[in-house]
Structure formats: C-alpha cells, structure tokens
Amino acid sequence: MTDKIWIFKNKKLNSDIINTISQEHHISRIISTIILNRGVDDKEISSYLKKSMSDIINPSIMLDMDKAVERVSTAIDNKEKIAVYGDYDVDGITSTALLYEFLKSIGADAEYYIPDRKEEGYGINIMAVNKLVKKGIKLMITVDCGITAIGEVEFAKLQGMDVIITDHHTCKERLPTAAVAILNPKRSDCEYPFSSLAGVGVSFKFILALAIAKGLHTKDVFAEYVDIATLGTIADVVPLLGENRIIVDKGLKILQNPRRKGLRAIMEIAGVLEKPVTASTIAFSIAPRLNAAGRLGTATTAVELLLTKDDNRAREIALALDAENKERQMTEKQIFNEALDMISADPNFQKKKVIVLAREDWHHGVIGIVASRLCDMYYKPCILISYSNGIGKGSGRSIKSFNLFDALTHCEKHLTDFGGHAVAAGLNINMSDLDAFIKEINKFADETLTEQDMIPSVEIDCPLSEQSVTLENAKILSNLEPFGMRNEKPVFAISAVQVVNIATAGIENQHLRLRVAKNNCVINCIGFGLGEFAGIINKGDFINLAFQMDINNYQGCESVQLLIKDLKLSK
C-alpha cells in the first residue's frame, strides 16, 4: 500500500527518564516523550515549556556585534547615509523592513534597497553598489545575504563605502573580511550559542544590541518588532526551537490582533483576520502573498506594506500582492507541468538520484517552489535552472539525507556562484557546464546516498492507544505550539483499527475521509491528498494509522479528529 518507512523516535528513550521528567515538570508521559524526541535536553526543558523572554540570549555575545553597533552609532552621529540591502524573499523583506524602521526611529538617515530578482539576482551585485555609492551611501548593511560576497564587499570598500553583513546562510571557507563587521551565528569562530536564527532573527538581535547602546528598553523594542521577526522566521523554515520558538510564540500572540496596517490588510484579504493565527497561517496564507512581490514584481512593495501607516495604501498593496500571488500560482502550474513532461521524456530518469532540469526563460521567482514540489513528489533532490543567453540561474531543494550545500561545494568547479543551506540553495552556472554539473552532482549522490535514504519516511513520536485519542489530549498537545521545523506537530501511530466508513472529499476527490473503530471507540479521520486510498482499502479492513491529533470545530462543537499522515494494511 505504501513504501514509506515508519520510524519510531522513542525506541531508544529510557522509560525511567520519561517518568522523571514527567514528575519534575508536572507533565504527562506523552508530552515528556515528545519533548525528548525533539532533542531538547534536561536543562532546556523548562525553557521549552515556558517560552520566556528571560531566555533570549544577550545579542552582544554574537561575534562582531560590538563593531557593528559602533559603526552604526558613528554613522548616525556623523549624519552619514545608510542603506539596508535586503533580499526578495520573506526573510529578506522582513529583515529589511525591521532594520530600516528601527534605524529611522533612532535618527539614522536610512533607506533600503532590494535587488530585482530577474535583472540582478540574489545578493550584493556591483551594479547595485555603484548605484548606492552615487547616492552618497557611506554605510551599507546587508540583511539575509552577503556572506559569500567577497569581491563585491571589497569593491564597495574601494568606492569608500563601508559594509556590515548580517546573514544566516552557511559560510564558505573564505569570508568577506573587507566588511566592517560580519554578523552570522554560523561562523565557525562565533561562540553565539544558537546558530539557527533566520536572517530576520540576526537583524532582530542587531536592533536589540543597538537599543541597548542607545539606552532604550529592550522589552519595548522586542514587543514592537517581534511580529515582523515572526513572519520571516516562519517563512524561512528554520527550526522552531530555542530563540526562534520564543520569537514566534510572542509574535503570534501580537498577530492575533495585528497593529500594523499592512499586516491587517493582507490578513483580511487572505481570509484569516478573524481566525486563530498559527505558524501554519503565516506559512500558507501570509508568506506566499508577501513572497509574490519578489517573485513576479518588486519586493520593495512588500516592504512598503509592512511599513505603511496609511489604511488605503495598505489595502491597495495587499490587493496587488494577492493578485500577484494568483498569477504566481498559474506560472507555477505551467512550469510544474513542463517539468513533468521533461521527466517523462528522460529514459534515464530512474537511474538519477538528483533531478536537474533546465529550460530557457523559466521564471526565476517560481522555480524554487516547483523544485520543492518535485522533491516531495519523487523524494529526490531537485534543482531547476532557468537560462538566458547561455547563463543559468538555479534553485534547488533537497531531502533530509542529502546536504545540498555540501553537494554544490563538491561541484563548485562547474558553477560560477552558489549559496544556501543543507535543504535549499541557489546557484549560477554557464550552460556550457550543465552536462558536467549534472554528471558530477549525481556521482556525488551515488557515493553518499543509500537506497534506504531514497525512501520517504514518517517519523512517529510514539504509539498511542485508542483510549488516549481524546479531545483533552489534543488540547494538551496544543501547548507545545508553535509547531514548525524540528518542532513538528507530534505524529502518533495506532494499530489494527477497523475501517467503518470510507469517503472522499474535495473538488477532485483528492482527500480521504475515514471512520475507524477499535474496542468500541469510533474515531473520525481525514487524510489531505490521500484520496487515492479510497480505491485501495475496503470497509471492514484493519489498518495501521500514522496521524496527528487535531481539534475539529463544527458549528461551535469541538471534537477530536485524526489527520492521517500515512496508512498501512494491518498484518
């Protein structure tokens, strides 16, 4: 029925440890198991549960923070022009808005610049540096980019412009040491104890350090900007543990009743303004609309949305972003179908462990989303490349067993530039090197990926009895929010439940609805995107379910329902 491997996380957990933690923290064994499964050690459990501001790390610990704060203070005192140089995704957009607004609030002569995705590409470029130099910019502060821009930073310095880099992407062996300061918790020489901040998280810590230097109340600054930091943190899919968990928890509370006019407008248009706001709300309703600006148009529009104080302008921008998002969906569908056609036409597709597809004039702003869909669909690393005049720009996504950044590093002789993370990266390539690159990255995959690595898995926190599938337990589990990467919503397994009823839902019958029973307990289930199982299982069959517990609220009546992640016939 399914080739997915079920991995039970708690097999190695010591029962005595679970009991001890349950007693010390006054929590259930289920909650203790889930927390331990997320790699939270004994010293961090209290912080994980409380999500307290007191656990925010002192920003001054980050390497070069003192240099960055001093240079900004000097620029303000000397009335020098400052440019915040951002990126066109949500992390970059929010980083730009956050730092720009704070700099203006402390008296800086600041502006912001985000490169055009199609014309300039990702990161710092010489053309943009020249533009800013001509405008009299004396200090450029990058956000969510710059860690690999060695030549560009050296060029800026030669033009008399200082650069501060704030970034969170993986560092290469060489750093842009011509910069005045490099704020990146992933630096090998940085002792900052939490390396998983998003780009906006690094920007956020920067403004907190500036606030301390200015004698401002950091709690007030935190509260003022944590909503923007939350958007970028969720959208960039960084682990929702440690500081990220605290940032998102506090930010979501503010976003329940957003005070920024632009956020209120976009949430209203997305239909989520009057609903509970979760990390999923941001990830699937708000982030795509903010991203649409940089994908098809100009990302500065999304920055303006976050900054505007005018209700009419906020609604105008929100409507435009919503329209661009719909256009993005159409473009995405077209590229996805073209990619599927290319895969179908490749007789050697099954032999390749990495999908690399290139086509002239695919939209740069959408290929990353399509790469992600193909990666999920085939469970293979996937890179899509759009090229023009012999120059290609690519975006890749990967499976958990394949570090894409390491793979690109291995193949860098075939690339003109690359950067990113283990699971998502971008690259530039001369198309004359494409065949060699495809051969090299697949050779690397053959040497590093086993057949087992290529089989998708479902990670399960622990088995659960039918008696434990209750509304009360579903509500208790909600206390572990916010859920996200490395703090995923818990997945459980239940065995040998009997199918009582089968139905499909959705316009294309793409969803599965089940009623199952065990020992007189009848449970409602839904499996999004699992409608095909309706033609495989039968009423009366005994099945095993991997699921998440959810609360269904229908006409004011709450009940527990299972969100099916996978199912197998019971042996």
Side-chain angles (χ1 to χ4, degrees):
M1 286 191 62
T2 176
D3 59 358
K4 288 184 181 178
I5 300 170
W6 288 17
I7 300 172
F8 286 83
K9 295 181 184 177
N10 69 324
K11 278 190 174 181
K12 296 181 181 179
L13 292 182
N14 185 296
S15 183
D16 291 337
I17 293 175
I18 294 173
N19 287 334
T20 299
I21 289 173
S22 298
Q23 291 167 10
E24 286 181 357
H25 296 278
H26 308 290
I27 54 179
S28 69
R29 281 179 54 86
I30 293 174
I31 298 296
S32 298
T33 299
I34 291 165
I35 292 173
L36 291 171
N37 283 343
R38 274 131 190 78
V40 181
D41 64 33
D42 293 355
K43 297 176 183 178
E44 297 172 330
I45 289 175
S46 179
S47 172
Y48 176 90
L49 291 168
K50 291 179 181 177
K51 296 164 280 190
S52 171
M53 277 280 296
S54 63
D55 291 310
I56 290 291
I57 301 164
N58 187 333
S60 66
I61 297 173
M62 193 175 296
L63 188 64
D64 279 1
M65 185 64 81
D66 55 342
K67 296 177 183 177
V69 169
E70 183 180 356
R71 183 63 185 90
V72 169
S73 298
T74 299
I76 293 173
D77 291 342
N78 295 339
K79 301 189 183 328
E80 295 176 294
K81 289 186 175 182
I82 302 173
V84 178
Y85 190 106
D87 183 31
Y88 36 66
D89 67 2
V90 177
D91 195 12
I93 288 164
T94 52
S95 299
T96 302
L98 181 149
L99 183 55
Y100 167 79
E101 185 173 275
F102 181 77
L103 288 174
K104 295 290 285 185
S105 75
I106 59 173
D109 182 1
E111 60 183 75
Y112 57 87
Y113 183 93
I114 297 180
D116 181 272
R117 183 191 289 261
K118 188 173 183 180
E119 299 299 323
E120 300 175 76
Y122 169 78
I124 309 173
N125 66 84
I126 300 298
M127 180 175 69
V129 171
N130 277 325
K131 282 182 187 177
L132 295 175
V133 168
K134 288 178 181 178
K135 293 180 74 173
I137 300 298
K138 293 299 182 183
L139 174 62
M140 178 172 76
I141 307 173
T142 75
V143 290
D144 193 34
C145 65
I147 199 63
T148 62
I150 296 169
E152 291 82 357
V153 174
E154 289 175 348
F155 177 79
K157 186 176 181 180
L158 289 173
Q159 307 308 307
M161 184 169 71
D162 284 340
V163 180
I164 293 172
I165 291 171
T166 77
D167 202 351
H168 74 123
H169 291 97
T170 304
C171 303
K172 295 183 181 179
E173 188 173 341
R174 284 186 64 202
L175 294 175
T177 51
V180 172
I182 303 172
L183 305 181
N184 187 330
K186 287 190 174 72
R187 288 179 62 172
S188 60
D189 53 349
C190 181
E191 296 181 357
Y192 194 79
F194 186 70
S195 63
S196 297
L197 290 168
V200 74
V202 180
S203 300
F204 193 38
K205 299 314 292 277
F206 188 20
I207 71 166
L208 292 177
L210 287 167
I212 292 170
K214 288 290 182 182
L216 303 175
H217 292 292
T218 53
K219 284 188 178 181
D220 294 340
V221 175
F222 186 100
E224 180 67 26
Y225 294 95
V226 71
D227 55 348
I228 297 183
T230 294
L231 297 177
T233 299
I234 292 172
D236 216 54
V237 200
V238 291
L240 286 193
L241 294 171
E243 285 192 293
N244 291 337
R245 181 170 164 78
I246 299 169
I247 289 169
V248 171
D249 180 68
K250 306 308 178 193
L252 288 176
K253 287 180 171 62
I254 291 173
L255 289 168
Q256 300 295 335
N257 184 24
R259 55 191 176 215
R260 294 179 186 274
K261 295 182 183 299
L263 285 179
R264 179 169 286 274
I266 199 96
M267 290 173 72
E268 182 177 12
I269 286 167
V272 297
L273 185 58
E274 303 298 330
K275 298 179 180 178
V277 179
T278 65
S280 294
T281 308
I282 303 303
F284 298 110
S285 295
I286 306 306
R289 288 171 168 83
L290 294 176
N291 251 333
R295 293 193 186 281
L296 300 185
T298 170
T300 55
T301 309
V303 176
E304 186 185 352
L305 179 81
L306 297 176
L307 298 175
T308 186
K309 303 293 192 290
D310 183 89
D311 283 314
N312 292 329
R313 180 59 179 152
R315 182 162 181 80
E316 180 184 349
I317 297 173
L319 286 168
L321 292 180
D322 189 57
E324 285 186 336
N325 188 51
K326 289 173 182 174
E327 183 182 348
R328 185 271 305 169
Q329 290 171 329
M330 293 174 61
T331 305
E332 176 192 331
K333 185 176 181 179
Q334 177 187 337
I335 294 175
F336 180 72
N337 288 333
E338 289 171 353
L340 291 180
D341 290 341
M342 294 171 73
I343 289 170
S344 298
D346 182 0
N348 297 314
F349 174 75
Q350 294 298 334
K351 298 176 184 177
K352 298 173 183 174
K353 289 185 177 178
V354 182
I355 302 169
V356 183
L357 303 174
R359 187 152 178 157
E360 189 171 14
D361 291 331
W362 266 344
H363 200 293
H364 299 123
V366 180
I367 54 177
I369 303 174
V370 178
S372 180
R373 289 182 62 186
L374 293 172
C375 180
D376 292 341
M377 183 175 181
Y378 292 102
Y379 204 68
K380 291 183 178 185
C382 180
I383 299 169
L384 263 59
I385 298 170
S386 172
Y387 65 89
S388 179
N389 299 319
I391 304 297
K393 295 180 180 180
S395 186
R397 300 294 184 270
S398 192
I399 59 178
K400 62 183 178 182
S401 304
F402 190 74
N403 187 310
L404 189 56
F405 185 85
D406 287 350
L408 296 181
T409 301
H410 178 80
C411 302
E412 63 181 331
K413 64 184 177 183
H414 304 298
L415 305 172
T416 57
D417 194 18
F418 70 95
H421 305 289
V423 296
L427 61 87
N428 292 339
I429 186 171
N430 290 321
M431 294 306 291
S432 57
D433 291 323
L434 180 63
D435 290 342
F437 169 69
I438 293 173
K439 184 177 180 180
E440 188 71 22
I441 197 168
N442 272 283
K443 181 182 177 184
F444 181 80
D446 287 337
E447 293 169 352
T448 55
L449 284 174
T450 66
E451 292 301 321
Q452 187 89 347
D453 291 333
M454 304 298 292
I455 302 173
S457 61
V458 179
E459 293 191 339
I460 296 168
D461 283 276
C462 60
L464 213 60
S465 69
E466 64 277 11
Q467 290 89 356
S468 296
V469 180
T470 64
L471 181 60
E472 180 185 8
N473 277 338
K475 289 183 176 180
I476 290 171
L477 290 171
S478 67
N479 293 327
L480 299 181
E481 294 181 1
F483 295 125
M485 182 182 172
R486 287 185 54 198
N487 188 49
E488 293 85 359
K489 192 170 184 178
V491 177
F492 304 101
I494 189 169
S495 60
V497 293
Q498 189 171 27
V499 178
V500 176
N501 192 44
I502 307 170
T504 57
I507 297 173
E508 299 176 354
N509 295 317
Q510 69 270 38
H511 309 309
L512 176 70
R513 285 195 178 277
L514 293 180
R515 281 171 65 85
V516 298
K518 186 174 183 180
N519 295 330
N520 297 320
C521 291
V522 180
I523 309 168
N524 292 319
C525 315
I526 185 163
F528 294 107
L530 301 180
E532 62 189 44
F533 282 109
I536 300 172
I537 59 175
N538 299 299
K539 186 176 178 180
D541 283 346
F542 286 88
I543 58 175
N544 302 332
L545 293 176
F547 65 92
Q548 296 169 330
M549 262 197 281
D550 191 41
I551 299 171
N552 183 35
N553 194 323
Y554 181 69
Q555 294 183 343
C557 181
E558 291 183 333
S559 62
V560 64
Q561 79 172 354
L562 307 188
L563 300 181
I564 304 171
K565 309 307 292 182
D566 194 28
L567 60 87
K568 299 174 181 283
L569 282 172
S570 185
K571 295 180 181 178

